[in-house]
């Protein structure tokens, strides 16, 4: 087998490649040395637990990622969140009344009579029940429509349906307060 001798160009290319690698490794070493490193010890773990998130992020010098509050939620997302909140609110209201009735027979009726006789509390209390009830019910109806007519579930109609749901619930909930 004949041995191939490297040319002058091959030698120069190898030398420049090695020089570039050395510079890159040096830069990498410097950037690693400049970063604060986490030392894993019991003492550092205890200190880490005592600091709050903001203080830790400030110490690193890195920007904190944006918080949810800077984003504008689409009306569809707000509508979905509101359906969940109204469901939880209704569960809480009815569970509270049910518990009151179980604890003392006639307590739920007494609570309702007290709320109805206090004019300052009556309308807000009625709205606090009427709006979640109407909103949650109409939101369920909207989903039934989407289940039976999937062509209505598109990027144009869904935001319109969400705005309509908010508006109709507000009007019907407010109207229910005067019954």
């Amino acid at each position: 087998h004949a041995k191939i001798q490297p040319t002058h160009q091959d030698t120069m290319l190898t030398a420049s490649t090695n020089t570039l690698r050395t510079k890159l490794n040096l830069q990498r070493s410097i950037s690693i040395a400049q970063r604060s490193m986490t030392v894993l010890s019991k003492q550092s773990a205890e200190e880490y637990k005592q600091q709050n998130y903001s203080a830790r992020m400030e110490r690193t010098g890195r920007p904190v990622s944006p918080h949810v509050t800077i984003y504008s939620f689409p009306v569809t997302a707000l509508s979905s969140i509101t359906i969940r909140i109204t469901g939880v609110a209704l569960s809480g209201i009815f569970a509270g009344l049910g518990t009151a009735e179980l604890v003392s027979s006639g307590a739920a009726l007494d609570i309702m009579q007290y709320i109805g006789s206090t004019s300052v509390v009556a309308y807000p209390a009625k709205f606090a029940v009427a709006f979640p009830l109407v909103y949650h019910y109409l939101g369920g109806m909207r989903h039934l429509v989407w289940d039976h007519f999937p062509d209505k579930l598109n990027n144009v109609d869904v935001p319109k349906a969400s705005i309509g749901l908010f508006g109709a619930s507000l009007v019907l909930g407010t109207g229910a307060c005067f019954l």
Side-chain angles (χ1 to χ4, degrees):
H1 294 147
K3 215 174 190 183
I4 300 175
Q5 294 293 326
T7 64
H8 178 69
Q9 288 177 341
D10 290 337
T11 306
M12 292 303 291
L13 182 61
T14 302
S16 70
T17 303
N18 287 339
T19 304
L20 183 59
R21 282 188 187 141
T22 303
K23 285 181 179 179
L24 288 173
N25 286 337
L26 181 62
Q27 287 176 346
R28 192 174 299 136
S29 297
I30 290 171
S31 69
I32 289 172
Q34 289 174 344
R35 289 190 290 179
S36 65
M37 301 301 284
T38 303
V39 178
L40 300 176
S41 69
K42 287 184 180 182
Q43 181 183 0
S44 66
E46 292 302 319
E47 289 173 5
Y48 182 79
K49 287 179 185 176
Q50 292 174 357
Q51 296 176 354
N52 66 22
Y53 177 78
S54 298
R56 287 195 314 266
M57 290 298 106
E58 190 174 309
R59 192 169 47 104
T60 63
R62 294 187 303 249
V64 178
S65 59
H67 194 266
V68 171
T69 58
I70 69 166
Y71 296 107
S72 175
F73 282 106
V75 69
T76 307
L78 293 173
S79 173
S80 177
I81 293 166
T82 306
I83 285 179
R84 286 162 176 76
I85 291 170
T86 56
V88 170
L90 289 170
S91 297
I93 290 168
F94 294 130
L97 284 175
T99 303
E101 191 62 31
L102 286 173
V103 169
S104 173
S105 181
L109 179 60
D110 292 341
I111 292 170
M112 291 298 152
Q113 287 175 342
Y114 173 75
I115 290 172
S117 67
T118 310
S119 63
V120 175
V121 178
Y123 292 114
K126 286 181 178 181
F127 187 78
V129 174
F131 177 79
L133 189 63
V134 169
Y135 191 90
H136 202 75
Y137 178 78
L138 292 178
M141 292 296 106
R142 179 180 67 168
H143 278 275
L144 284 175
V145 169
W146 287 343
D147 289 344
H148 292 289
F149 303 102
D151 57 315
K152 298 291 182 194
L153 189 58
N154 58 56
N155 289 339
V156 174
D157 292 334
V158 171
K160 289 178 184 176
S162 297
I163 291 169
L165 177 59
F166 278 118
S169 298
L170 190 63
V171 168
L172 292 173
T174 302
C177 291
F178 297 104
L179 294 177

